[in-house]
Amino acid sequence: MKKLGVAVVGTGFWGKNHARVYKELASTELVAICDVNAERAKSVADQFGVKVYTDSTRMLKNKEVEAVSICTWSTVLAKEALKALKAGKHVLVEKPMASDTKKAEKLLKTAEKNDLHLTVGFLMRFIPGMLHIREAVENKKIGELVCATAKRVSQWPERIGDVGVVKDTAIHDIDVMRYIANEDPITVYAKTGSMRHRKFEDYAQIMLTYKDGKSAFIESNWLTPYKTRTLTVTGSDAIMRLDYITQELWIEETKETLQPRYPWQEPLKLELQHFAECITEKKKPLITAADGLKALQIAEAALQSSAKNRAIKLR
Ligand SMILES: NC(=O)c1ccc[n+]([C@@H]2O[C@H](COP(=O)([O-])OP(=O)(O)OC[C@H]3O[C@@H](n4cnc5c(N)ncnc54)[C@H](O)[C@@H]3O)[C@@H](O)[C@H]2O)c1
């Protein structure tokens, strides 16, 4: 079977992983990489033995490139994704998809108009065990969903300087909450603030409420000296807990605690494999551009809620 020709725009900390995984996958052929930092671009291209570009406009003219991962700084994602879509390439744009919802809407419309795949890098959906939680909630294996709580705290990754913790970090959990509830929240109330970061918020507590009374709570910060990434889903009959780092899953029932074991898998590998498969088999991606836009709308409403000190109704 012919491999899908792919490229990566932005090969810093995360884009380098995209390049490595594309190189490892049997279904993709890493054709080229592009980074505005010429030295970094050359070193990554040499590592993987692919064509190097420092200007994506030139790279996008390469007909061997059919799909592109956009892994630039968050404020540049939308511009680069739009360029790629206009050049007729399928796109996986890293979260937060764009720095604001207007830009995200433009991406969604452009992909639709040009009949191209556009997906967003919400990696948490590819953690083995996440599907188990989603299905347990849907099939009421834990009873009625009461609430879900996510904690994503660690020290500030200093290379992230162009958006705050809500759009950079909490957005993962906003997407997870939409995914497991299979429904959109109706209000958001948040408290955000800055202790160390000069320009953006570095902590956020976000509460989402749903029309039937269930709720979700997200705690995110760039302050805690150690890294915690967990999800607790409370049902009327049982509780499910997931550790995103170890990928361990627990189901706490009245009489016993079960621990279904899933072999550890690299979520990025599953994500990029799925992206390539959706393009070649013309399937709808697990994460649509509309999911990306919705998560960003909720993130913006959370920031607005904190600024106005009141709950914000979501459309
Ligand atoms: N899904 C996840 O779990 C996950 C994890 C880490 C990072 N990310 C996302 O990936 C993106 C990159 O994060 P990072 O940590 O790698 O940042 P980084 O600063 O390490 O890398 C960004 C790279 O993009 C390059 N760049 C900037 N503008 C460019 C342009 N117009 N064309 C080509 N290259 C350009 C920079 O030179 C840099 O090398 C961010 O949007 C971040 O939110 C997602």
Side-chain angles (χ1 to χ4, degrees), residues 48-298:
F48 298 113
V50 296
K51 287 194 187 113
V52 60
Y53 295 87
T54 51
D55 170 10
S56 61
T57 309
R58 284 190 49 230
M59 189 193 80
L60 293 167
K61 289 190 179 132
N62 186 331
K63 294 214 165 49
E64 286 173 46
V65 176
E66 298 165 88
V68 184
S69 274
I70 309 290
C71 309
T72 61
W73 302 308
S74 294
T75 45
V76 187
L77 292 171
K79 186 181 106 197
E80 288 299 330
L82 189 65
K83 254 203 240 177
L85 289 168
K86 285 187 170 167
K89 316 292 182 188
H90 301 289
V91 169
L92 184 156
V93 59
E94 262 310 334
K95 56 85 196 165
M97 184 180 185
S99 51
D100 62 61
T101 47
K102 266 208 178 119
K103 293 190 183 103
E105 267 170 44
K106 174 105 182 145
L107 292 185
L108 186 150
K109 284 188 186 142
T110 309
E112 274 177 4
K113 197 173 113 199
N114 298 340
D115 197 19
L116 291 163
H117 280 261
L118 172 62
T119 188
V120 182
F122 286 134
L123 194 69
M124 299 307 116
R125 290 207 200 186
F126 293 90
I127 300 276
M130 181 55 83
L131 186 61
H132 190 131
I133 295 181
R134 164 80 151 79
E135 286 175 354
V137 170
E138 188 167 13
N139 302 325
K140 302 199 188 298
K141 292 262 165 61
I142 56 166
E144 291 299 326
L145 178 59
V146 179
C147 74
T149 307
K151 193 175 174 107
R152 191 172 295 274
V153 298
S154 50
Q155 294 239 294
W156 175 33
E158 291 190 22
R159 58 177 198 284
I160 310 290
D162 57 348
V163 290
V165 78
V166 173
K167 286 183 182 174
D168 179 82
T169 308
I171 198 151
H172 274 302
D173 302 300
I174 292 173
D175 176 66
V176 164
M177 297 310 182
R178 292 189 62 245
Y179 179 58
I180 57 177
N182 196 18
E183 184 184 335
D184 280 316
I186 53 165
T187 67
V188 53
Y189 179 69
K191 282 281 175 203
T192 70
S194 165
M195 296 263 182
R196 292 197 195 129
H197 205 300
R198 282 205 206 106
K199 231 170 128 190
F200 294 102
E201 79 285 350
D202 55 18
Y203 67 87
Q205 281 76 245
I206 303 170
M207 185 170 176
L208 308 173
T209 64
Y210 291 79
K211 67 172 178 296
D212 62 357
K214 62 178 173 279
S215 53
F217 186 79
I218 298 166
E219 179 189 0
S220 288
N221 76 43
W222 286 334
L223 301 168
T224 308
Y226 54 86
K227 189 167 167 173
T228 301
R229 269 117 176 81
T230 56
L231 174 70
T232 305
V233 180
T234 304
S236 52
D237 299 338
I239 288 172
M240 298 184 90
R241 287 190 295 118
L242 175 70
D243 185 320
Y244 287 109
I245 300 171
T246 62
Q247 299 188 352
E248 284 171 294
L249 175 68
W250 296 269
I251 306 166
E252 293 170 19
E253 297 178 349
T254 320
K255 291 197 176 136
E256 58 188 356
T257 297
L258 307 167
Q259 193 174 12
R261 287 192 215 288
Y262 290 97
W264 194 93
Q265 288 192 72
E266 186 180 6
L268 185 61
K269 207 164 200 172
L270 300 174
E271 180 184 80
L272 300 188
Q273 205 163 20
H274 175 72
F275 176 51
E277 197 179 294
C278 287
I279 295 168
T280 46
E281 295 177 17
K282 299 188 185 348
K283 285 193 322 202
K284 190 179 164 196
L286 175 65
I287 299 147
T288 62
D291 288 323
L293 175 62
K294 196 75 212 185
L296 201 51
Q297 281 167 344
I298 297 170

